[in-house]
Amino acid sequence: MSERSQTLCVTVLKVFFYECEVPVFTEEPLSVVQKLGGSVTLRCSARPAATNISWRLNGRELDGDLGVVVGPGTLVIPALTNRTLGRYQCVASTNAGALASVPANVTAAKLRDFEPDDQQDIEVDEGNTAVIECHLPESQPKAQVRYSVKQEWLETSKGNYLIMPSGNLQIANATLEDEGPYVCAAYNPVTQEVKTSTSTDRLRIRRSTSEAARIIYPPASRSIMVTKGQRLVLECVASGIPTPQVTWAKDGEDLRFHNNTRFLLSNLLIDAAGEGDSGTYVCRADNGVGSEGVATVLYDVQVFEPPQVTVELLQQEVSWGESVRFSCQARGKPAPSVVWLHNAQPLSATPRHRLSPRILRVINVGPQDDGLYQCMAENGIGSSQASARLVTSPAGIPARSGRLPPILRPLSPDKVLREQAPVKPGATGGALTLDCSELTGQISVAEAPVILSQPRTVKADFYELTWKPRHDGGAPVVEYIVKYRKIEDPPAEWSSRSLSGSLHKLTLAKLQPASLYEVEMSAKNCAGLGQPAMMTFRTGKDSESQVSPRLRTGQQSVWRLLILCHFSAAPEAPDKPTISMATETSAYVTWIPRGNHGFPIQSFRVEFKKLKGKGGGEWEVAVANIPPQRLSVEITGLEKGTSYKFRVLAVNVIGASPPSAPSKAYTVVGGGRPNERPVDGPYITYNEAINETTIILKWTYTAVNNTPIYGFYIFYRPTDSDNDSDYKKDVVEGDRYWHSITDLQPETAYDIKMQCFNEGGESEFGNVVILETKARLIQRPSPSETSSHRPVHPGGPVPRPSDLPYLIVGVVLGAMVFIIVAFIPFCLWRAWAKQKQTSDLCFPAMASPVPSCQYTVVPLQGLALVGHCPLDPHLPLRHAAYPNGDYTPNGKHHHPTRCLPGLNQVRQPPTLI
């Protein structure tokens, strides 16, 4: 066989075994903290099963004299020593090349001594929150704090004693009983060592008649760094008499009504920090005492996130002598450092290898350049890696037909645990088949599945998601990726699930009641991940309290009648629709209806608006007369490269509902590149202060290059502020060119500027205007009024705005009591008049007493209605009662057998009293 034939055979064999030989990590080692002498186990596995696993310590092959035991998929250190500490990596090797895992650090546990410190005397006003600080010593892992309180060691929060994640002890509603010494200690959960502070803090409670608000912790502004997904706790403790009210704001925006924030005493909690939680937080304490009256402290919060890496190689099979280019996209915070590897060996810059954090160029490739190339990124928070394979062949030998498999992008271990479904040991079909080479015909990605679940569920905390597959693209679906999140402002983090391609049902658990969720799911085959199917659903309300069925039925009937009587109207606006791609020129619009106000919904109408030019065009009808049982419709005839917004209206016999909130902008693929961000900002042409808290603006905007915009941002702050974080932002969507800014401070000058925006970003700022709000009108009281309103005692209580709700409740209750008391004599008088009339007409004594107050009622569906209500004349009256007490079964009058001689009794029609 000639040398050229041998080379050709080698190349063919390379191509034949291309996909089955590429190693992919299914588990990578994790960092461990252990005490010296303790045992450590690291795990690493990869597929295919024939993959060879080896280990490295600090970048070198593992020595056999360290006492380390290497088994199938594990590395065991029986007794940790200083020689076995360091960075471990496992290497997965096949004939296709080698991959290195992300590093796992094995660290020795330790707990240092407390630094010498002086005793602290802490004073706090009675009834306020006290803070005992504990400066924990250096520890691996982080030490747990304990406190000695009244001869007892506290390990967790108890009663009014709250141990914070920082190690501080907060004592809520401190009293004289809480005075005394406090000692903190540090506990290492690995070494189980306990070390006690060298100093003792003493708490003293003082009583004051009046004390201005002051913030006792933190003593000064601070910078906080937190990892994405972890809990963020910002402590703020204030003291004063009366007890100060503490409020929080982020970048000038009040946090009391944000869904992702909670409050513990006066501390701010965010359960899972996200990118949007970075910024400046202001804690403000105010009790209205003193000339200043307000105390503030700032937190500068930075949310860090581990790296995420992707590698791209445009040409995966090249001839010898050519050049190739790898690109690496690594993002994270802080910015990660990047290392390139070839077959698990670090690359350095050479005349043939040109390196940068984002680009790797290999010049004049040869057979020695075959294999796997990795981009490894680290930033102190975590590490991640991705890889691509390069296949070379001699010049003149044609590349094989067909396509190479997709680029391999292994997930970091934490992402594997979070997003991939666990595979039980021994389960069939656990390994996904991503090999398209054995399939015939044209292979493409699978189409989006068809979601069959209804958009409403009566269940409050879970939802049954069902679907069926569409066209699989010529290759079987091996995996479904499902993402879901609650629709709120700001949007919640996505929760992801990965399921086998043979499943068509998933239960989404731990949902919030009466909430709107959005779902995106995609099908994956050997050609890759297809387009997502999108839908929204609403969970049911919490189960009602234990109410008898009869009473519940009565309540429902009353509400139905009230609606029919007084609130018959057009339906409520449907929820904000979601948009998903159907074809290149069509899209699916999906929505959820709301209440129908007493009359069934007869149809839906979908409208659209093109987003071009100055805010877009007019709303046009896309589809009308959609049957009420359909909650999704395909909109066809969309223009490529054009952005649209959609809204939905519900129609009943009364009329059409208000339109729903517009959907997110949907851009039809194709038709050129996406819209660039607008260049010039809007120009404010008119501004006026309407009153002491409101300013009205008008502006114009001229589009450059006919760039469409989706709306405008309005930024404003007091003129005397030099801090950009003091800017507040209002958003005006659509093509409206005026806006009212409200809730401003009286007699205050404001800087106002504007931007416009689209999917490409924001424009530059337009002109800046300065406008002052009007002064608040103050009516000067006369001298007599001033003297009459002067407090009798200079130290007497001062009314507070918070007393107003109690005053209103008191007035309402007093009025109700007065009405009841006035009604009792009226009933007594009415009963006396009835008895007198009976005696005047010589009625015989009645066997049963006459009630003091009588009513005429017309029961409907088992309910006694009070009030005037138009009833359906076709409904038969089953029973009726007349003013004289006669009873008519089934609506037919029953004549009494007793009747006074010589008197013609006149029946009055039933009335409602």
Side-chain angles (χ1 to χ4, degrees):
M1 184 181 294
S2 66
E3 181 180 355
R4 180 176 178 84
S5 299
Q6 291 178 352
T7 304
L8 179 60
C9 291
V10 170
T11 303
V12 171
L13 288 174
K14 280 183 183 179
V15 172
F16 182 79
F17 292 104
Y18 184 91
E19 293 161 344
C20 62
E21 292 185 346
V22 173
V24 176
F25 285 111
T26 56
E27 184 177 14
E28 297 182 74
L30 302 176
S31 297
V32 177
V33 178
Q34 180 60 284
K35 63 182 178 181
L36 294 176
S39 65
V40 174
T41 301
L42 302 178
R43 303 184 184 278
C44 179
S45 58
R47 53 180 172 87
T51 302
N52 179 51
I53 301 293
S54 60
W55 292 86
R56 292 178 183 171
L57 174 58
N58 298 326
R60 299 181 179 180
E61 293 294 329
L62 201 61
D63 293 336
D65 59 348
L66 292 178
V68 176
V69 180
V70 177
T74 60
L75 180 146
V76 179
I77 306 174
L80 187 64
T81 64
N82 289 326
R83 293 182 60 200
T84 52
L85 298 175
R87 287 163 56 95
Y88 286 80
Q89 283 179 291
C90 73
V91 178
S93 304
T94 65
N95 293 334
L99 290 179
S101 70
V102 295
N105 295 313
V106 177
T107 310
K110 63 181 178 181
L111 177 63
R112 298 193 181 276
D113 294 327
F114 278 85
E115 294 290 339
D117 198 4
D118 297 329
Q119 176 175 324
Q120 300 289 330
D121 288 333
I122 302 168
E123 289 189 352
V124 67
D125 297 310
E126 186 176 17
N128 286 257
T129 301
V131 179
I132 310 296
E133 294 187 60
C134 183
H135 302 285
L136 291 172
E138 181 183 353
S139 175
Q140 282 288 350
K142 182 180 178 181
Q144 300 173 4
V145 67
R146 298 178 175 180
Y147 279 92
S148 174
V149 180
K150 299 176 183 178
Q151 307 302 319
E152 177 186 356
W153 283 101
L154 289 182
E155 299 180 7
T156 57
S157 301
K158 179 181 179 181
N160 64 326
Y161 295 97
L162 184 64
I163 297 179
M164 304 299 293
S166 64
N168 296 336
L169 175 66
Q170 293 189 11
I171 306 172
N173 194 22
T175 63
L176 293 174
E177 296 180 357
D178 299 314
E179 283 191 335
Y182 291 81
V183 180
C184 75
Y187 169 73
N188 188 304
V190 176
T191 64
Q192 298 184 354
E193 295 175 273
V194 178
K195 294 190 176 181
T196 307
S197 173
T198 57
S199 63
T200 300
D201 296 334
R202 184 169 295 276
L203 177 64
R204 302 184 187 277
I205 306 298
R206 64 180 183 180
R207 292 180 172 178
S208 305
T209 57
S210 180
E211 181 74 19
R214 58 192 176 96
I215 293 179
I216 59 178
Y217 187 87
S221 297
R222 296 197 169 184
S223 295
I224 298 291
M225 292 169 288
V226 63
T227 303
K228 182 179 179 180
Q230 291 184 350
R231 172 176 289 186
L232 172 62
V233 179
L234 301 182
E235 298 180 51
C236 183
V237 180
S239 181
I241 299 295
T243 302
Q245 181 181 5
V246 175
T247 57
W248 285 89
K250 174 183 178 289
D251 298 334
E253 186 176 0
D254 195 337
L255 294 178
R256 283 177 292 183
F257 308 106
H258 277 222
N259 292 333
N260 65 329
T261 57
R262 295 190 295 121
F263 299 93
L264 180 62
L265 298 180
S266 56
N267 308 293
L268 177 67
L269 280 74
I270 299 177
D271 290 325
E275 298 177 19
D277 295 319
S278 296
T280 301
Y281 291 76
V282 180
C283 173
R284 182 178 184 272
D286 183 15
N287 67 349
V289 177
S291 57
E292 298 177 356
V294 178
T296 59
V297 69
L298 303 180
Y299 277 95
D300 182 26
V301 175
Q302 296 292 328
V303 179
F304 288 169
E305 59 178 321
Q308 296 181 3
V309 181
T310 58
V311 171
E312 292 184 359
L313 174 59
L314 298 179
Q315 189 177 3
Q316 293 179 288
E317 186 174 351
V318 297
S319 299
W320 295 346
E322 296 181 356
S323 298
V324 293
R325 178 179 180 271
F326 298 83
S327 62
C328 175
Q329 299 290 336
R331 69 182 191 90
K333 189 176 182 181
S337 59
V338 173
V339 175
W340 287 96
L341 298 94
H342 175 218
N343 288 331
Q345 296 293 336
L347 288 174
S348 56
T350 66
R352 292 185 57 249
H353 298 88
R354 300 178 183 178
L355 307 178
S356 73
R358 298 188 59 182
I359 302 296
L360 167 63
R361 294 183 64 89
V362 183
I363 311 298
N364 190 21
V365 300
Q368 71 276 12
D369 297 313
D370 274 10
L372 301 174
Y373 288 79
Q374 281 180 276
C375 174
M376 186 83 67
E378 294 185 73
N379 66 352
I381 306 300
S383 55
S384 182
Q385 55 90 13
S387 64
R389 185 183 178 188
L390 176 66
V391 176
T392 66
S393 60
I397 296 180
R400 71 178 181 125
S401 60
R403 297 180 303 177
L404 293 176
I407 298 166
L408 304 174
R409 297 173 183 170
L411 301 175
S412 59
D414 59 334
K415 197 172 182 68
V416 171
L417 294 175
R418 186 171 63 250
E419 294 190 4
Q420 291 189 348
V423 179
K424 297 181 180 180
T428 60
L432 300 179
T433 303
L434 297 175
D435 188 357
C436 289
S437 60
E438 298 181 358
L439 302 175
T440 59
Q442 185 176 1
I443 308 300
S444 61
V445 296
E447 294 184 3
V450 179
I451 299 178
L452 304 176
S453 303
Q454 295 297 319
R456 283 182 179 270
T457 176
V458 297
K459 305 300 183 182
D461 56 351
F462 70 92
Y463 181 73
E464 296 287 350
L465 180 67
T466 57
W467 64 89
K468 66 178 181 180
R470 270 205 185 103
H471 185 261
D472 58 12
V477 175
V478 295
E479 186 179 15
Y480 287 106
I481 308 296
V482 179
K483 298 193 304 180
Y484 63 97
R485 67 179 177 183
K486 182 181 177 182
I487 298 178
E488 54 188 349
D489 189 19
E493 295 290 331
W494 286 103
S495 298
S496 299
R497 296 288 301 274
S498 176
L499 297 96
S500 168
S502 60
L503 300 178
H504 299 99
K505 183 178 180 181
L506 174 64
T507 300
L508 308 181
K510 297 182 180 179
L511 306 180
Q512 297 182 14
S515 299
L516 190 64
Y517 284 82
E518 59 179 329
V519 176
E520 293 184 5
M521 67 174 302
S522 305
K524 184 178 181 181
N525 61 10
C526 64
L529 197 64
Q531 289 288 337
M534 303 171 62
M535 74 162 298
T536 56
F537 68 88
R538 183 176 293 279
T539 53
K541 297 181 179 179
D542 275 328
S543 58
E544 299 179 359
S545 57
Q546 300 298 325
V547 181
S548 66
R550 191 171 184 179
L551 180 57
R552 187 180 296 114
T553 304
Q555 293 172 344
Q556 294 171 354
S557 301
V558 170
W559 279 111
R560 283 198 297 267
L561 288 168
L562 287 175
I563 291 172
L564 288 172
C565 294
H566 303 288
F567 300 105
S568 296
E572 295 182 27
D575 283 328
K576 180 178 179 179
T578 56
I579 315 301
S580 59
M581 190 180 85
T583 66
E584 292 184 353
T585 58
S586 65
Y588 288 112
V589 179
T590 307
W591 63 92
I592 295 178
R594 303 299 294 271
N596 59 19
H597 281 173
F599 292 95
I601 294 176
Q602 295 179 336
S603 64
F604 293 100
R605 184 169 75 239
V606 176
E607 299 178 349
F608 72 94
K609 179 174 70 171
K610 294 182 181 179
L611 301 179
K612 283 188 176 181
K614 297 172 60 175
E618 298 295 329
W619 287 100
E620 303 177 34
V621 176
V623 182
N625 298 322
I626 302 171
Q629 64 272 17
R630 289 187 58 188
L631 302 178
S632 179
V633 68
E634 182 179 0
I635 309 299
T636 59
L638 304 180
E639 300 175 7
K640 291 185 178 181
T642 303
S643 298
Y644 294 85
K645 281 192 175 183
F646 299 89
R647 67 184 187 184
V648 184
L649 297 87
V651 181
N652 64 9
V653 294
I654 303 300
S657 71
S660 68
S663 68
K664 295 180 180 179
Y666 174 78
T667 303
V668 183
V669 295
R673 60 182 182 178
N675 294 319
E676 297 181 352
R677 74 177 185 92
V679 179
D680 295 336
Y683 186 84
I684 301 174
T685 58
Y686 173 81
N687 55 87
E688 180 184 358
I690 302 301
N691 51 41
E692 65 270 17
T693 61
T694 305
I695 289 175
I696 189 169
L697 298 177
K698 295 182 181 179
W699 62 87
T700 60
Y701 171 72
T702 302
V704 178
N705 299 327
N706 202 28
T707 302
I709 62 171
Y710 297 164
F712 303 92
Y713 294 142
I714 303 175
F715 296 86
Y716 55 96
R717 71 173 181 188
T719 302
D720 56 4
S721 172
D722 295 328
N723 191 352
D724 287 342
S725 64
D726 290 341
Y727 272 111
K728 294 184 178 181
K729 182 172 75 172
D730 286 1
V731 181
V732 180
E733 290 190 346
D735 52 359
R736 184 157 59 92
Y737 288 83
W738 64 271
H739 181 68
S740 296
I741 305 175
T742 58
D743 299 328
L744 303 177
Q745 297 296 321
E747 207 169 356
T748 304
Y750 285 86
D751 293 343
I752 306 173
K753 57 184 181 180
M754 294 182 61
Q755 289 177 310
C756 52
F757 66 92
N758 62 12
E759 80 273 14
E762 300 84 23
S763 71
E764 301 295 333
F765 286 104
N767 60 323
V768 180
V769 298
I770 299 177
L771 185 63
E772 183 175 344
T773 54
K774 293 184 177 181
R776 178 170 291 165
L777 297 177
I778 302 177
Q779 296 181 353
R780 303 197 174 202
S782 62
S784 59
E785 291 177 345
T786 304
S787 60
S788 63
H789 287 87
R790 190 171 300 161
V792 177
H793 302 287
V798 179
R800 296 172 295 178
S802 60
D803 296 334
L804 183 59
Y806 300 101
L807 180 61
I808 294 174
V809 172
V811 171
V812 173
L813 292 177
M816 293 176 62
V817 171
F818 175 78
I819 293 173
I820 293 173
V821 171
F823 192 63
I824 291 173
F826 172 75
C827 290
L828 295 176
W829 173 84
R830 189 176 173 83
W832 174 83
K834 285 282 186 180
Q835 293 177 356
K836 186 175 185 305
Q837 181 183 6
T838 302
S839 60
D840 291 343
L841 294 175
C842 299
F843 269 101
M846 301 182 68
S848 59
V850 179
S852 59
C853 286
Q854 296 179 344
Y855 293 87
T856 299
V857 294
V858 180
L860 180 61
Q861 296 182 356
L863 290 177
L865 298 181
V866 180
H868 297 275
C869 179
L871 302 177
D872 191 341
H874 300 289
L875 290 176
L877 294 177
R878 295 175 177 267
H879 307 284
Y882 286 89
N884 58 3
D886 292 341
Y887 179 71
T888 62
N890 300 323
K892 298 180 181 179
H893 183 62
H894 176 69
H895 296 280
T897 56
R898 292 182 299 172
C899 185
L900 287 178
L903 289 177
N904 294 325
Q905 295 189 348
V906 180
R907 301 290 183 179
Q908 297 293 332
T911 58
L912 294 177
I913 299 177

